[in-house]
Amino acid sequence: MLHESRTMMHAFVVAGTHSGVGKTVVAMCIAAALKRRGYEVQPFKVGPDFIDPTHYAFCGWAVNLDAFMMGEAGVKKSFLRWMWGKDVGIVEGAMGLFDGYRLTTLSSTAHIAKILGLPVILVLDAGGLSLSALAMYEGYKNFDRELDVVGVIFNGGTAFHEKLRRVFSARGHDVLGILPKREELEIGSRHLGLHLGMERRKDWRTLAEIGEEFIDIERILELSEMEFGGELSASAEDGDGGDTEVGMRIGVPFDEAFAFYYRDNLRTLSRFGELVFFSPLKGEHASASAECDLYYIGGGYPELHLHNLSGFARFIRREALEEKPIYAECGGLMLLSRGIEIDGKVKRMAGVLDIDVVFTRKLKALSYVRGEVVARNPFLAGSFRGHEFHYSYALPDDDVKFAFRVDGKGIKDGYDGALAHNTLAGYTHIHFYSADLTPLRELLTGRGRA
């Protein structure tokens, strides 16, 4: 039965002992089971990962919560805003429970759980273990006594795990599920992580059946009931800055080639106008409805779809030469380059930037990023935080101008954010909660550079 007032809700974290333990499939099964019961579920994802959030499309893509990029206040603000009108919040963790920034717990799953005051369910793969599984669980449970680890779910479970359940229960620990290996739960992966949700769509009803059969949904609801009350109401009243400030149309390419967007970034941009989503891979950029006043081109997998992006590259070049504001990150940077080289072959791109991109089979950058704006640009001022994660590197001409200095790799020698026309493109994925968007506001209201 759902709570009519929605001040009493349920929220919890699904964490893991390490990466690859099965947090995503466990959280998806729980979310699907709750959806089938009629609950309004809001998924979240700890950290900067763009891919795992796509797998919750059946109840809405997950919202990223990252203390490094958003700050503790930003994490709480985002959580409360997205929980408005929902019944259950499921926060999927990242890596191991305590794995954070530079061998600390900063921005770890444990950190997010403590910021929000949420109980933690630990996913554990007990393959190759017997009593050591209990020692492992109790180690995680007792490592930080301020953290409320309320139970465990065994992933890849077998008949042996039923015996292990009795051992855990004898020590007073809740075994909240034993999820067996199932073909329908497998998710493939590639160089940046799992396949996108839209590429490997799961039948959420099948996930719900598996969740109901193998996970104690009722007990999870009992352990996760929380009172938000005044905080939630205050967050809803605060909103995202009131009514739309500018009646602009903001184009957002969105498909298997460009899918890396933080939902809070899109929500922030919606303050400036209507978000217009279109698929370059389906040729939707050729429609008059795709012509917008501003474009936000996120990251993704353009390198996998080069043969289908020529038309979009020509389209976005025309828009850039008309001085329309374009903000692009990583995959968007690759699109705006002169060309992308893969295995010695070069595919021409938009040529908006005097940059060549070389795609490699090895990881070129993976880190959080602190940045500072060092040159006037149409979008950002001050400092910002974000992250970079890519398998390519850029070769800019000597006269390319940069807007950012970063402590990551960036495009060249610690500089990022290449400038041309009213276009700004870099490798860093910036979280807008950390950024000053005054230049964009001034541009769109006619007071800034055009």
Side-chain angles (χ1 to χ4, degrees):
M1 181 176 180
L2 307 188
H3 303 286
E4 294 181 3
S5 68
R6 296 178 190 256
T7 58
M8 287 298 296
M9 292 179 292
H10 303 270
F12 55 92
V13 174
V14 177
T17 55
H18 58 279
S19 293
V21 76
K23 298 182 295 290
T24 303
V25 294
V26 169
M28 287 170 61
C29 286
I30 297 172
L34 290 168
K35 175 182 171 67
R36 192 171 72 166
R37 292 187 178 201
Y39 286 88
E40 291 289 333
V41 179
Q42 176 59 61
F44 298 89
K45 172 66 181 180
V46 174
D49 187 335
F50 289 108
I51 299 172
D52 289 1
T54 67
H55 291 278
Y56 297 91
F58 59 88
C59 57
W61 282 30
V63 175
N64 293 82
L65 300 174
D66 189 293
F68 178 89
M69 296 192 296
M70 305 165 69
E72 292 189 358
V75 167
K76 196 164 189 177
K77 177 177 74 171
S78 177
F79 179 79
L80 292 172
R81 285 181 177 178
W82 288 99
M83 280 301 293
W84 178 256
K86 302 298 174 66
D87 301 299
V88 184
I90 301 177
V91 181
E92 181 196 331
M95 301 176 66
L97 176 56
F98 298 103
D99 298 330
Y101 178 63
R102 293 184 176 176
L103 289 178
T104 72
T105 59
L106 172 63
S107 211
S108 66
T109 301
H111 189 192
I112 299 299
K114 290 168 70 173
I115 291 170
L116 301 175
L118 301 184
V120 175
I121 298 168
L122 189 69
V123 179
L124 191 155
D125 183 349
L129 300 174
S130 58
L131 191 60
S132 296
L134 177 60
M136 182 182 293
Y137 174 76
E138 291 188 342
Y140 279 86
K141 183 175 177 64
N142 298 323
F143 184 79
D144 184 346
R145 294 303 182 94
E146 295 181 6
L147 194 66
D148 187 18
V149 180
V150 297
V152 63
I153 293 176
F154 296 129
N155 190 33
T158 64
F160 167 75
H161 290 84
E162 288 296 342
K163 297 179 181 179
L164 202 55
R165 181 200 295 271
R166 294 195 291 271
V167 175
F168 271 66
S169 298
R171 294 287 283 257
H173 305 312
D174 270 310
V175 176
L176 299 170
I178 301 175
L179 198 64
K181 290 184 178 180
R182 289 285 187 89
E183 184 178 347
E184 52 265 55
L185 295 179
E186 294 178 1
I187 304 174
S189 62
R190 59 164 71 94
H191 53 282
L192 292 182
L194 298 177
H195 287 285
L196 293 166
M198 67 271 277
E199 295 175 296
R200 298 290 187 272
R201 293 187 185 276
K202 300 291 184 183
D203 183 347
W204 73 267
R205 294 174 182 82
T206 299
L207 297 177
E209 291 173 2
I210 294 172
E212 289 284 7
E213 182 177 357
F214 296 103
I215 298 175
D216 191 344
I217 303 298
E218 285 296 336
R219 182 59 176 153
I220 290 174
L221 289 172
E222 291 174 10
L223 292 168
S224 63
E225 189 170 46
M226 305 182 70
E227 171 69 58
F228 287 99
E231 283 184 315
L232 198 66
S233 299
S235 174
E237 292 172 2
D238 179 48
D240 289 301
D243 296 332
T244 299
E245 298 178 19
V246 187
M248 294 289 179
R249 285 167 51 83
I250 302 170
V252 183
F254 190 86
D255 53 24
E256 291 89 338
F258 303 100
F260 293 179
Y261 300 96
Y262 294 129
R263 291 191 69 186
D264 277 317
N265 280 9
L266 295 174
R267 190 168 188 165
T268 298
L269 281 183
S270 69
R271 291 164 45 186
F272 299 105
E274 175 193 4
L275 299 184
V276 179
F277 296 94
F278 60 92
S279 170
L281 296 182
K282 294 180 180 178
E284 291 175 357
H285 58 277
S287 168
S289 64
E291 294 186 10
C292 296
D293 305 293
L294 164 74
Y295 295 92
Y296 176 22
I297 309 174
Y301 291 107
E303 66 272 11
L304 300 180
H305 305 279
L306 294 179
H307 57 293
N308 286 328
L309 289 177
S310 297
F312 182 49
R314 291 191 295 270
F315 167 83
I316 206 66
R317 176 178 173 82
R318 290 195 302 270
E319 297 294 87
L321 294 181
E322 289 182 9
E323 300 293 326
K324 289 188 179 180
I326 300 172
Y327 174 69
E329 297 175 330
C330 202
L333 163 68
M334 296 170 72
L335 174 79
L336 293 167
S337 71
R338 281 187 297 233
I340 301 174
E341 179 182 332
I342 301 179
D343 297 330
K345 298 179 180 179
V346 177
K347 177 66 176 179
R348 290 181 61 186
M349 288 286 101
V352 175
L353 305 172
D354 291 330
I355 292 175
D356 300 309
V357 172
V358 180
F359 181 80
T360 72
R361 303 297 175 183
K362 294 183 179 180
L363 183 65
K364 304 304 293 185
L366 172 58
S367 67
Y368 281 120
V369 173
R370 291 182 176 91
E372 178 185 4
V373 175
V374 295
R376 188 181 181 192
N377 67 86
F379 295 91
L380 304 172
S383 60
F384 58 83
R385 291 192 177 195
H387 84 106
E388 55 182 349
F389 183 22
H390 50 91
Y391 278 71
S392 66
Y393 61 90
L395 299 171
D397 288 356
D398 291 339
D399 59 352
V400 169
K401 296 180 179 179
F402 298 103
F404 310 145
R405 183 167 56 240
V406 296
D407 64 359
K409 289 193 175 181
I411 293 175
K412 180 182 179 182
D413 300 331
Y415 285 90
D416 205 3
L419 290 165
H421 309 287
N422 261 349
T423 294
L424 172 63
Y427 269 124
T428 305
H429 297 278
I430 297 172
H431 199 291
F432 291 168
Y433 270 33
S434 72
D436 179 356
L437 299 180
T438 299
L440 175 61
R441 182 178 294 106
E442 292 180 346
L443 175 66
L444 295 181
T445 54
R447 298 194 298 273
R449 172 172 164 254

